[in-house]
Amino acid sequence: MFKGIYNWIDERLDITPMWRDVADHEVPEHVNPAHHFSAFVYCFGGLTFFITVIQILSGMFLTMYYVPDIINAYASVDYLQHKVAFGAIVRGMHHWGASLVIVMMFLHTLRVFFTGSYKAPREMNWVVGMLIFFIMLGLGLTGYLLPWDNKAYFATKVTLSIAESVPYIGPYIATLINGGEVVGAQTLTRFFAIHVFFLPGALLALLAAHFFMIRKQGISGPL
Amino acid sequence: MSNHEHREAAHQPVKRKEMSRRQFLSYTLGGATAFMAGGAVLPMIRFAVDPLLTQKTEGTFVKVVEESKITNEPQEFRFQVHQVDGWYESDPELTAWISRDQQGNVFALSPVCKHLGCTINWNTQNDNQYFCPCHEAKYSPEGKNLAVAPAPLDEYDLKIEDGFIYLGPIKPNTKV
Ligand code: HEM
Ligand code: FES
């Protein structure tokens, strides 16, 4: 039946060449753990992406209950964690995934570094990868404030003091990301908007560039 | 067509700097695109940076305590300030440690530790110093940082009217 549906769509839209472009290509022997077990280091990029997908999905579901409002934010997180079925699981995925994605990204970066894959002609993909790294840090930072508990509040206070310590423009940067002079209602809405719209949008664009370049240049050769 | 070319050739000496059709079109289309993109994006940018450009609210002074109550030994006083945070207004309670210096001048210190922002306390170690329980920062009675903290305790702006102490905005320490 699926074959039938596929053929029906393919007749109209000719999707087979697109599919071939994206996915139908050999995995070179030196990156295939079935040939050399040590090649598992080549999996960390894919694992980073896997966890990123989980972050985006679990985050989308969290927003079904979460409200970015200083009176209700904590109560909404408390509710979704303790009263909603599987709340501890879904929030747990997002919570632990946020740390795991950094770990995976770090291991992936180490692999790229020690296989020398950042060298010509792949310099641009190293740069894009670094931008992804900073976006991830931004996501972790802005997400951390959202539960609006003491830990979140004071972590953000510290963050803003760090931003403020930049020479000359520090106070302006701090006011801009704080959304005013007090860490409060406007900070929470600002961080929420950045966390769920601005940074994920930038992240998806950078991931697209990352994967496009990999597809174009292929995986780097054996050592 | 050939007629036209012929005439062009005849006019050779008067070389006018004319824009090609292609150039004209790319300038107009480019200009219109830039105008439309700007029209869409500029309002959003101004919207996002509004907190940078709004006037800071003037710090108001709040009556805290009679001047006669202040001793050389720092004492803790609590007072409420009215705080406007966008659409959310509240009256948070603040704390000040108020005492007199060697010359008898009254001054008020903020209780926020200059290390990482915990709350300091007076003389909990019986050494006549301010002490922060988080990472053991120590400050002199004037707020001078003696251990751990990188800067002296902040001060409240202070004025005395009709025998009462009024506290205003936070400012860097002026005593040390
Ligand atoms: C790779 C991307 C992401 C990272 C690293 C990340 C990180 C975080 C972190 C560290 C927290 C605090 C978790 C906690 O309190 O235990 C958080 C909370 C939250 N995030 Fe994300 N996030 C990501 C993507 C997203 C996306 C795409 C959305 C929504 C579309 C989202 C929605 C939320 C919400 C609603 C919360 C508050 C609920 C809660 O604290 O459990 N996140 N995020
Ligand atoms: S916050 Fe006071 S000593 Fe660290």
Side-chain angles (χ1 to χ4, degrees):
Chain A
M1 192 188 81
F2 290 116
K3 189 79 193 149
I5 295 174
Y6 180 86
N7 287 341
W8 189 87
I9 296 175
D10 197 35
E11 268 164 37
R12 270 143 259 257
L13 296 172
D14 193 23
I15 56 175
T16 299
M18 268 187 318
W19 165 246
R20 215 183 283 137
D21 253 11
V22 174
D24 189 15
H25 49 97
E26 297 244 330
V27 177
E29 189 185 314
H30 72 285
V31 308
N32 188 343
H35 286 268
H36 311 282
F37 181 67
S38 60
F40 72 84
V41 293
Y42 285 91
C43 294
F44 291 130
L47 287 173
T48 309
F49 181 60
F50 174 65
I51 296 168
T52 303
V53 170
I54 289 188
Q55 286 308 101
I56 292 176
L57 288 178
S58 59
M60 279 163 60
F61 280 93
L62 284 175
T63 57
M64 288 184 167
Y65 295 94
Y66 177 80
V67 278
D69 166 77
I70 53 175
I71 309 226
N72 293 309
Y74 182 80
S76 74
V77 173
D78 190 61
Y79 179 85
L80 73 85
Q81 165 105 16
H82 296 296
K83 294 276 161 47
V84 181
F86 284 68
I89 307 262
V90 175
R91 177 153 185 246
M93 287 161 75
H94 204 74
H95 178 100
W96 297 107
S99 298
L100 206 54
V101 84
I102 303 284
V103 172
M104 289 304 161
M105 206 166 38
F106 185 67
L107 293 174
H108 172 60
T109 311
L110 283 181
R111 189 283 284 175
V112 170
F113 183 78
F114 283 111
T115 54
S117 308
Y118 54 85
K119 293 175 188 170
R122 292 179 237 280
E123 311 95 314
M124 279 169 65
N125 228 2
W126 174 269
V127 172
V128 168
M130 280 297 125
L131 294 178
I132 291 174
F133 176 68
F134 289 120
I135 299 272
M136 287 292 185
L137 293 188
L139 279 163
L141 187 99
T142 50
Y144 207 69
L145 178 67
L146 301 185
W148 200 247
D149 51 10
N150 263 307
K151 175 174 62 73
Y153 176 83
F154 283 102
T156 303
K157 281 249 178 192
V158 171
T159 303
L160 290 169
S161 320
I162 294 171
E164 207 169 345
S165 66
V166 173
Y168 306 112
I169 53 168
Y172 299 103
I173 298 176
T175 307
L176 185 65
I177 54 184
N178 190 11
E181 297 307 310
V182 273
V183 178
Q186 303 190 78
T187 316
L188 187 56
T189 47
R190 206 160 257 262
F191 273 46
F192 179 71
I194 294 172
H195 186 75
V196 306
F197 293 115
F198 289 79
L199 293 182
L203 181 66
L204 290 177
L206 288 170
L207 285 176
H210 206 63
F211 297 151
F212 170 76
M213 283 191 252
I214 295 168
R215 194 73 194 82
K216 202 81 179 165
Q217 301 176 318
I219 202 88
S220 56
L223 289 177
Chain B
M1 190 63 195
S2 61
N3 189 17
H4 176 77
E5 265 168 32
H6 181 77
R7 246 198 293 152
E8 280 293 288
H11 280 281
Q12 204 83 11
V14 218
K15 222 184 190 162
R16 272 184 294 165
K17 236 191 162 178
E18 272 185 347
M19 193 183 268
S20 75
R21 202 174 287 241
R22 175 172 301 223
Q23 255 177 332
F24 173 77
L25 274 177
S26 46
Y27 286 159
T28 17
L29 284 178
T33 309
F35 182 76
M36 289 198 292
V41 170
L42 284 179
M44 297 189 262
I45 295 199
R46 180 61 184 79
F47 185 83
V49 302
D50 195 55
L52 269 185
L53 302 171
T54 37
Q55 216 68 43
K56 298 224 165 82
T57 39
E58 284 276 309
T60 49
F61 281 82
V62 180
K63 191 192 238 178
V64 177
V65 62
E66 292 133 85
E67 190 193 353
S68 56
K69 293 244 172 87
I70 305 305
T71 57
N72 287 336
E73 174 93 359
Q75 291 167 276
E76 188 182 25
F77 296 96
R78 292 167 191 278
F79 59 105
Q80 287 199 330
V81 291
H82 188 67
Q83 181 178 286
V84 181
D85 173 20
W87 55 92
Y88 182 74
E89 296 194 22
S90 57
D91 298 285
E93 189 176 69
L94 299 185
T95 302
W97 287 92
I98 311 182
S99 59
R100 290 178 192 275
D101 63 16
Q102 315 270 300
Q103 289 78 43
N105 300 316
V106 177
F107 65 101
L109 294 176
S110 151
V112 179
C113 180
K114 294 299 275 186
H115 177 227
L116 289 174
C118 288
T119 304
I120 52 111
N121 222 316
W122 169 253
N123 205 17
T124 45
Q125 313 292 100
N126 291 318
D127 54 2
N128 281 323
Q129 286 173 355
Y130 289 105
F131 180 72
C132 178
C134 290
H135 319 93
E136 312 198 338
K138 290 187 171 111
Y139 303 88
S140 75
E142 288 79 38
K144 185 178 167 52
N145 45 321
L146 304 174
V148 178
L153 291 172
D154 285 334
E155 249 181 275
Y156 285 101
D157 239 346
L158 180 145
K159 66 183 182 193
I160 299 173
E161 259 169 35
D162 302 330
F164 278 94
I165 290 172
Y166 291 74
L167 295 186
I170 296 271
K171 62 178 183 187
N173 196 305
T174 57
K175 292 286 165 188
V176 293

